[in-house]
Amino acid sequence: MAGKRTARRILAGGVALAAAGWALREVPAELGVRPLGSGPDRVSRMRRSSQFREGAFFNPMPEPTTLMTAPPPSLLGELAKNKEQRRPGGAVPLRVPPSSPPPADGLRAVWYGHASTLVEIEGKRVLFDPVWSKRVSPSQLVGPKRHHPVPVAIGELPEIDAIAISHDHYDHLDMATVRTLTGTQKAPFLVPLGIGAHLERWGVPAYRIIELDWDEEAEVAGLRFVATAARHFSGRTFTRNDTLWGSWVVAGASKRVFYAGDSGYFEGYRGIGSAHGPFDLTLMPIGAYSPAWPDIHMDPEEAVNAHLDLGGELLLPVHWATFTLALHPWAEPVERLWREAKARDVKIVVPRPGEAVDTTAAPAVDGWWETLG
């Protein structure tokens, strides 16, 4: 009997090791590639960038920037405490996105969770930072896990006209999602300099990759895309800043959208607003802030400041609710945003994941998250 139990334990251990090995097989690809070794054309463009020097990209803002090169030693211990405060207290309510065609001359947005957002502008669809994986990590065995499902299966997305990526961190650039969209959609990927190297490794054809430096632009499906600045950093390994990060301006004939990606607050938002605004809609990150990294993630009050600098009409908050990436309570970002918006008479909308928002008839904020906070 003891021999049988030992055999079963050995068999179970072997199965577990095999399963772990299978799950880890994609980790090398998830890490991406070093763009400086990906080809002379890309490298030449990177080296010509005003944001590139001594082998890496940097933040050129006059404000000092202290980047978090490694998590503070106390972070893991703090994450283990009071975990229940950093996740919703119940099921996050989801909505089924509309299947109707996008408004031909209007502006509609569907927030899927975290930063992933579909913007329908003047009859065209733009998908920002799509992430459908269960975890934002190089391995689906470990790392921050979703607090709610994506409200629509990736295979059920409507036809997309453009996919815009802000930077290469795992919660904004997801290999599995990119691979699926490459097979199910025909849209090009618009990315900051260097990120095209990752996409090529993951099977995206070169003709579907548009790499831009800050202040460069491209026209896709009749929309004007401008890569604009952000105060952040990049890297999928311990090597930092070998790809560029950024934000996006998307302009149609009459409607304009600004997507901030990840960024700390900086004075340059006024310049972006002057050059490309005003904006009918801004998608502003409000979560994952911390005193340990004040320069690279803005807090909710700073998101309102940036929105006003940009000349924004309606603010839709992103980068909250879906993954725990900082120590603040789950609902704190949106509570702070709501207070600041009311105090400064800023129009915001806080949709449930999957809920469509028409910017001309945005619903009033109803505090749907309050019972979960």
Side-chain angles (χ1 to χ4, degrees), residues 74-84 86 327:
S74 61
L75 181 60
L76 292 179
E78 291 298 325
L79 284 171
K81 300 176 184 177
N82 302 318
K83 290 190 292 186
E84 68 282 353
R86 294 190 292 277
L327 297 176

Side-chain angles (χ1 to χ4, degrees), residues 24-39:
L24 292 172
R25 74 195 187 283
E26 294 285 16
V27 169
E30 286 273 11
L31 299 178
V33 299
R34 296 296 303 276
L36 285 176
S38 65

Side-chain angles (χ1 to χ4, degrees), residues 107-248:
L107 180 57
R108 187 168 66 181
V110 179
W111 175 59
Y112 294 128
H114 197 57
S116 303
T117 309
L118 179 70
V119 170
E120 298 175 327
I121 175 172
E122 297 179 0
K124 306 299 181 181
R125 294 187 176 101
V126 180
L127 184 59
F128 291 103
D129 284 357
V131 173
W132 258 253
S133 288
K134 186 177 181 180
R135 294 181 186 271
V136 286
S137 167
S139 169
Q140 291 301 296
L141 295 177
V142 296
K145 185 178 178 182
R146 284 187 174 275
H147 295 312
H148 65 82
V150 188
V152 61
I154 192 168
E156 296 175 1
L157 284 172
E159 183 177 351
I160 307 299
D161 294 285
I163 302 163
I165 307 295
S166 63
H167 64 295
D168 72 358
H169 287 157
Y170 291 97
D171 58 322
H172 293 258
L173 179 64
D174 177 53
M175 182 182 74
T177 301
V178 166
R179 285 177 166 175
T180 300
L181 291 174
T182 301
T184 59
Q185 299 281 346
K186 298 179 180 179
F189 292 81
L190 294 109
V191 298
L193 289 177
I195 294 179
H198 298 324
L199 301 188
E200 287 177 354
R201 177 171 186 179
W202 300 339
V204 182
Y207 70 85
R208 286 181 60 180
I209 300 172
I210 301 172
E211 285 183 76
L212 299 178
D213 196 357
W214 291 354
D215 299 322
E216 291 183 340
E217 60 183 72
E219 184 173 319
V220 176
L223 300 173
R224 184 170 63 94
F225 289 79
V226 185
T228 43
R231 192 181 185 207
H232 199 54
F233 71 111
S234 68
R236 296 176 74 82
T237 65
F238 293 109
T239 300
R240 298 296 192 196
N241 302 341
D242 55 357
T243 64
L244 186 59
W245 50 94
S247 55
W248 288 101

Side-chain angles (χ1 to χ4, degrees), residues 34-36 43 46-47 51-58 239-243:
R34 296 296 303 276
L36 285 176
V43 171
M46 292 169 61
R47 292 190 183 281
Q51 284 67 246
F52 191 87
R53 69 184 180 199
E54 299 178 1
F57 291 99
F58 69 100
T239 300
R240 298 296 192 196
N241 302 341
D242 55 357
T243 64

